[in-house]
Amino acid sequence: MGAWFWPLVVVAAAFFAGALSAQYNGGGQEGLAATDLYGLVLPAVSRQAGPSAAPTAIVLPTPTATLPPTATPVPTPPPTPAFRDDQLFSLGLHNKARLANGAPPLMLDAAVNAAAQGQANDMAARDYFSHDSPEGKTPWDWLRESGATYTYAGQNLGLAEGAANTQAIQELFDMMVAETPPEDGHRRNILDTNFRKLGIGLSRSASGKLYWVVNFTG
């Protein structure tokens, strides 16, 4: 499980990034091979009522009162999770790039967000920058603990110093999406058509370092 780091100085801010992707296969192991994912759908079911039996006799109807139709109750939709401005800004950057390259849009997911935020907080609190914690906790462990379900998952990491949140996110994203093969792991994650959900974590350390965690699942 590798990560790549390199410096970029932009408006007095140093930026670093690392990309990681993995396929979650039926055996429960994550590997680094990127493979196509085929979606499965359940067939639609329908039900049609049969004809009513023909009456056997003609009878005079008994007068009855006609009741007004009962209104069908409208189910209350579940509350929409509230997403932060930095999460919405990050989503917009990713979907703009995906639209320009023919990839389907991503949607923010509460569980995937929780995994990303937990990992960002941990890195900021303990001053490390890696896909895996010093104890070996992986991005996939964070995802499982948050309750996220996935078949295919990836992660991009960014670290910035001396820049405001939005500026740092923009600069990190621009650097990632501008990558060229073979060093284009971040760009491949951003544009991967297997991914449908996005999670964003952002945390600043006491020393001012900004950690940006981007999780992708599908």
Side-chain angles (χ1 to χ4, degrees):
M1 190 171 295
W4 300 265
F5 309 93
W6 59 92
L8 176 69
V9 178
V10 179
V11 290
F15 296 95
F16 306 84
L20 186 69
S21 64
Q23 183 188 9
Y24 183 64
N25 60 34
Q29 300 294 321
E30 288 85 359
L32 294 181
T35 60
D36 291 332
L37 174 68
Y38 297 92
L40 301 176
V41 295
L42 294 176
V45 294
S46 61
R47 179 174 164 185
Q48 182 176 358
S52 301
T56 57
I58 298 176
V59 296
L60 295 176
T62 302
T64 57
T66 302
L67 298 177
T70 302
T72 302
V74 178
T76 303
T80 302
F83 298 119
R84 301 191 311 262
D85 289 345
D86 64 274
Q87 293 170 331
L88 295 171
F89 180 69
S90 299
L91 176 68
L93 292 176
H94 283 78
N95 280 342
K96 182 178 179 180
R98 288 171 71 88
L99 178 63
N101 288 272
L106 300 168
M107 58 180 289
L108 288 169
D109 180 83
V112 184
N113 269 332
Q117 189 60 52
Q119 192 172 358
N121 290 344
D122 191 56
M123 286 193 289
R126 300 201 288 161
D127 195 26
Y128 71 92
F129 182 58
S130 173
H131 292 291
D132 298 346
S133 75
E135 299 79 23
K137 187 173 182 177
T138 70
W140 330 127
D141 295 326
W142 288 100
L143 284 168
R144 292 191 191 101
E145 288 179 5
S146 73
T149 57
Y150 64 91
T151 301
Y152 200 88
Q155 183 181 81
N156 287 347
L157 295 181
L159 173 64
E161 293 184 79
N165 291 2
T166 301
Q167 177 190 357
I169 291 171
Q170 181 74 65
E171 295 289 349
L172 287 166
F173 181 84
D174 288 347
M175 180 179 68
M176 292 176 179
V177 81
E179 292 173 345
T180 57
E183 301 295 331
D184 61 340
H186 304 94
R187 178 180 171 86
R188 290 199 306 271
N189 275 348
I190 291 168
L191 302 180
D192 195 323
T193 57
N194 290 315
F195 297 141
R196 292 293 188 274
K197 295 179 181 179
L198 186 71
I200 301 296
L202 194 72
S203 188
R204 193 176 289 274
S205 70
S207 63
K209 295 178 182 177
L210 185 69
Y211 294 84
W212 188 46
V213 179
V214 184
N215 285 342
F216 305 86
T217 64

